[in-house]
Amino acid sequence: MKIDPDSTVDLSAQIAKAIRDAIIAGDLIVDQRLPSEAELADHFDVSRPTVREALKRLAAQSLIRTQRGATGGAFVNRLRFEDAYAQQVTTSTLLLSMNAVSFDVACEARYALERACAPLSAERRTPDHLATMRAEIHRQEQPGLTDEAFCASDVTFHRALVDGAGNKVLSYQLAGAVEAMQPLMNMITFTARSREEIVALHTDIADAVEAQDATRIDALLVKLEAYTRHLAHSVVAARQSRKDKEKTA
Amino acid sequence: MKIDPDSTVDLSAQIAKAIRDAIIAGDLIVDQRLPSEAELADHFDVSRPTVREALKRLAAQSLIRTQRGATGGAFVNRLRFEDAYAQQVTTSTLLLSMNAVSFDVACEARYALERACAPLSAERRTPDHLATMRAEIHRQEQPGLTDEAFCASDVTFHRALVDGAGNKVLSYQLAGAVEAMQPLMNMITFTARSREEIVALHTDIADAVEAQDATRIDALLVKLEAYTRHLAHSVVAARQSRKDKEKTA
DNA sequence: GACATTAAAATGTAAGACAAATGAAAATTG
DNA sequence: CAATTTTCATTTGTCTTACATTTTAATGTC
């Protein structure tokens, strides 16, 4: 592991890259302890604060964890799915919120991915997944539910569908797409009528999943996507007309 | 933005979280300049190195960028797709390399996702995408190609297929799945026979994409997935038998 | 042998200093 | 006056030193 002191790049960034590459290459294996900050500083010929900045960069990516005390230090972290989830959701949420992505594009991606795991879910879903879906449908039928709670329940429902595929990589990839859309979905005011419509579709989907009818799940997801986009467009249109009104007034 | 000095959590982690939350909540908008390190240190009542560690954490997630000089400072970064790609690939690669995921699971996820965008790609692919696919097929036919180069070309080919869907979110999601598998694929020795087989399937896929035949693309991807898994299993089996031999010897 | 004490090692944090980059204002020059 | 150069203040990048805190291990005591 070497760095170039003459480079214009931050030393801490270079050191972080060197260590990261070592981890990816397998030169540093899971749970292995890195040299102490003092030793690293000595090795790279930099000061301890610089080394620390590098380590914090790696910690931010969940690549290492640190422990204080005599036998403490920095250890290569076994990247868990929940950590990967969290990062994925943060990144996806930011991509969307910074308006680099339109609602339609995000929505299309989400349902395309979801439909990808529908056949697998039809095949492998357990009673647990079905129970979660039914429970969320029941929750969504409660009249007093806020829009936020309705959306959260929606996310849980779809997560159950995705998890039913029994493929952790798929679940992890989809977590970003589904959860990242929640803030956007929260902007939609769900009328009693639209909730009824969505719950009906959810019920049909749950039935199809129970019946292991992949083709039907796919068709229902297409309908749900169309309806979701329709709702979103209504919201945008309503907002636009309100703006126009303000302009003329 | 406040932190709890009595918490057991690192101050730098708390500060990073506070700023990150402010960005996600929209309190800090794109290209907005953060207070200088000295001002932040003053605000949070910590030292400058601690603030710097927090900022480096955010920089590692591409949430901010820093500039030196008089009008420099830390600025909220517009998260670009390429940055998100890079993180996604790193994370996915690590998830796989740390053996939390089997080859089969990763492969299944990859092809499920790829099939998800096949219909969209059939509809929207441009001549550019087709040209890339043809070029990579041509490259893959060269006999002198190393296994690594063959795999890299394979990734480019599939990326073109995915990009053909014209949905940046899909491309971004799939980049992780496809590229993360490359190290695993690199372990496979592609015989002349297997390369021939793969190139034939790639050619068929390119033809189907050109003909905008979504059903056929799907069927071909299923075949390609089955063949890929078959190859991987052969490698594992060969390695196992070699190990057994060593054991008896 | 059990328990309290101490020491050592490591990270976490602070404070101050200087280097280097950078842009803006001020001074100089044609 | 305009163009150019110089100066200078600001800000990040880095180093040094020091101390606080946490944790384990060794040591000593009963």
Side-chain angles (χ1 to χ4, degrees), chain A residues 52-53 88 105 108 124, chain B residues 52-53 88 108 124 167:
Chain A
R52 281 182 62 79
E53 285 177 13
Q88 172 81 357
V105 169
E108 178 178 277
R124 302 178 191 161
Chain B
R52 281 183 61 80
E53 285 177 13
Q88 172 80 357
E108 178 178 276
R124 303 178 190 161
N167 185 308

Side-chain angles (χ1 to χ4, degrees), chain B:
Chain B
M1 292 198 296
K2 276 176 190 170
I3 59 171
D4 174 18
D6 298 328
S7 166
T8 56
V9 182
D10 288 3
L11 291 176
S12 67
Q14 289 185 59
I15 294 170
K17 183 179 184 334
I19 299 176
R20 179 164 40 237
D21 288 347
I23 294 175
I24 292 175
D27 298 334
L28 295 168
I29 61 173
V30 169
D31 291 333
Q32 187 174 338
R33 183 181 174 280
L34 271 64
S36 72
E37 294 175 354
E39 287 169 326
L40 285 172
D42 204 54
H43 172 70
F44 288 113
D45 201 31
V46 298
S47 68
R48 195 158 83 93
T50 302
V51 167
R52 281 183 61 80
E53 285 177 13
L55 293 180
K56 295 312 159 201
R57 294 178 117 110
L58 298 174
Q61 296 181 304
S62 305
L63 264 74
I64 61 167
R65 61 177 184 278
T66 54
Q67 235 176 358
R68 297 172 73 162
T71 57
F75 297 83
V76 177
N77 207 14
R78 160 154 279 135
L79 191 58
R80 289 171 310 176
F81 272 93
E82 24 190 316
D83 298 327
Y85 277 147
Q87 289 180 218
Q88 172 80 357
V89 170
T90 309
T91 305
S92 301
T93 305
L94 280 169
L95 270 177
L96 263 58
S97 75
M98 286 174 176
N99 275 332
V101 183
S102 71
F103 184 85
D104 273 349
V105 169
C107 200
E108 178 178 276
R110 172 189 159 168
Y111 280 100
L113 297 172
E114 203 163 328
R115 284 167 60 198
C117 66
L120 296 170
S121 198
E123 193 185 331
R124 303 178 190 161
R125 90 287 182 283
T126 67
D128 252 18
H129 297 125
L130 285 171
T132 303
M133 294 172 79
R134 301 290 185 194
E136 293 305 327
I137 289 173
H138 186 256
R139 188 197 309 273
Q140 288 158 21
E141 283 167 342
Q142 305 304 315
L145 218 63
T146 63
D147 282 339
E148 282 73 18
F150 185 81
C151 287
S153 171
D154 185 71
V155 167
T156 308
F157 175 87
H158 286 276
R159 279 289 297 269
L161 175 61
V162 170
D163 288 340
N167 185 308
K168 283 195 163 189
V169 176
L170 273 176
S171 294
Y172 144 70
Q173 296 270 5
L174 280 165
V178 175
E179 289 192 29
M181 281 187 64
Q182 200 173 2
L184 287 174
M185 295 295 290
N186 277 336
M187 288 164 43
I188 302 178
T189 307
F190 292 99
T191 61
R193 182 74 197 85
S194 63
R195 284 195 189 186
E196 206 176 289
E197 194 95 14
I198 291 171
V199 167
L201 280 167
H202 282 177
T203 305
D204 288 349
I205 290 172
D207 289 345
V209 171
E210 186 159 15
Q212 305 195 293
D213 185 347
T215 313
R216 178 149 175 71
I217 300 174
D218 191 80
L220 289 166
L221 285 174
V222 170
K223 276 181 80 174
L224 187 54
E225 176 183 356
Y227 190 64
T228 305
R229 288 164 86 157
H230 165 70
L231 280 181
H233 288 176
S234 308
V235 169
V236 171
R239 196 167 299 160
Q240 189 59 47
S241 78
R242 202 165 53 241
K243 260 190 186 167
D244 291 345
K245 243 183 187 170
E246 282 170 9
K247 223 176 184 177
T248 51

Side-chain angles (χ1 to χ4, degrees), chain A:
Chain A
M1 293 197 294
K2 277 176 188 169
I3 60 172
D4 174 19
D6 298 328
S7 166
T8 56
V9 182
D10 289 2
L11 291 177
S12 67
Q14 288 186 58
I15 294 170
K17 183 178 183 337
I19 299 177
R20 180 164 40 238
D21 288 347
I23 293 175
I24 292 175
D27 297 335
L28 294 169
I29 60 173
V30 168
D31 290 333
Q32 186 174 339
R33 184 182 173 280
L34 271 63
S36 72
E37 294 176 354
E39 287 169 325
L40 284 172
D42 204 52
H43 172 68
F44 288 113
D45 202 28
V46 298
S47 69
R48 194 156 83 89
T50 302
V51 167
R52 281 182 62 79
E53 285 177 13
L55 294 179
K56 295 313 161 200
R57 294 178 117 109
L58 298 175
Q61 297 182 304
S62 304
L63 265 75
I64 61 167
R65 60 179 186 277
T66 55
Q67 239 176 357
R68 296 173 71 161
T71 58
F75 297 84
V76 178
N77 208 14
R78 159 151 279 136
L79 190 59
R80 290 172 310 176
F81 272 93
E82 26 191 314
D83 297 327
Y85 277 147
Q87 288 180 219
Q88 172 81 357
V89 170
T90 308
T91 304
S92 300
T93 304
L94 279 169
L95 270 177
L96 262 59
S97 75
M98 286 175 175
N99 277 331
V101 183
S102 72
F103 185 86
D104 273 351
V105 169
C107 201
E108 178 178 277
R110 171 187 161 171
Y111 279 99
L113 296 172
E114 203 162 329
R115 284 168 60 200
C117 67
L120 296 171
S121 197
E123 192 186 331
R124 302 178 191 161
R125 91 286 182 285
T126 67
D128 252 19
H129 297 125
L130 285 171
T132 302
M133 294 172 78
R134 300 293 186 192
E136 293 305 326
I137 289 174
H138 186 257
R139 188 196 311 272
Q140 289 158 19
E141 284 167 342
Q142 305 304 315
L145 218 62
T146 63
D147 281 340
E148 281 74 19
F150 186 80
C151 287
S153 172
D154 185 70
V155 167
T156 309
F157 175 87
H158 285 276
R159 279 290 297 267
L161 174 61
V162 170
D163 288 340
N167 185 310
K168 283 194 164 190
V169 176
L170 272 176
S171 295
Y172 144 71
Q173 296 270 6
L174 280 164
V178 174
E179 289 191 31
M181 280 189 66
Q182 200 173 1
L184 286 174
M185 295 295 289
N186 276 337
M187 288 165 43
I188 302 178
T189 307
F190 293 99
T191 61
R193 181 75 197 83
S194 64
R195 285 196 189 185
E196 205 176 289
E197 193 94 17
I198 290 171
V199 167
L201 281 168
H202 281 177
T203 306
D204 287 350
I205 290 171
D207 289 346
V209 170
E210 186 160 14
Q212 305 195 294
D213 185 345
T215 314
R216 179 150 173 72
I217 301 174
D218 190 79
L220 289 166
L221 285 175
V222 170
K223 277 181 80 174
L224 187 53
E225 177 183 355
Y227 189 64
T228 305
R229 288 164 86 157
H230 165 70
L231 279 180
H233 288 177
S234 308
V235 170
V236 172
R239 197 167 300 159
Q240 189 58 46
S241 77
R242 202 166 53 242
K243 261 191 186 167
D244 291 345
K245 243 183 187 171
E246 283 169 8
K247 224 176 187 177
T248 52

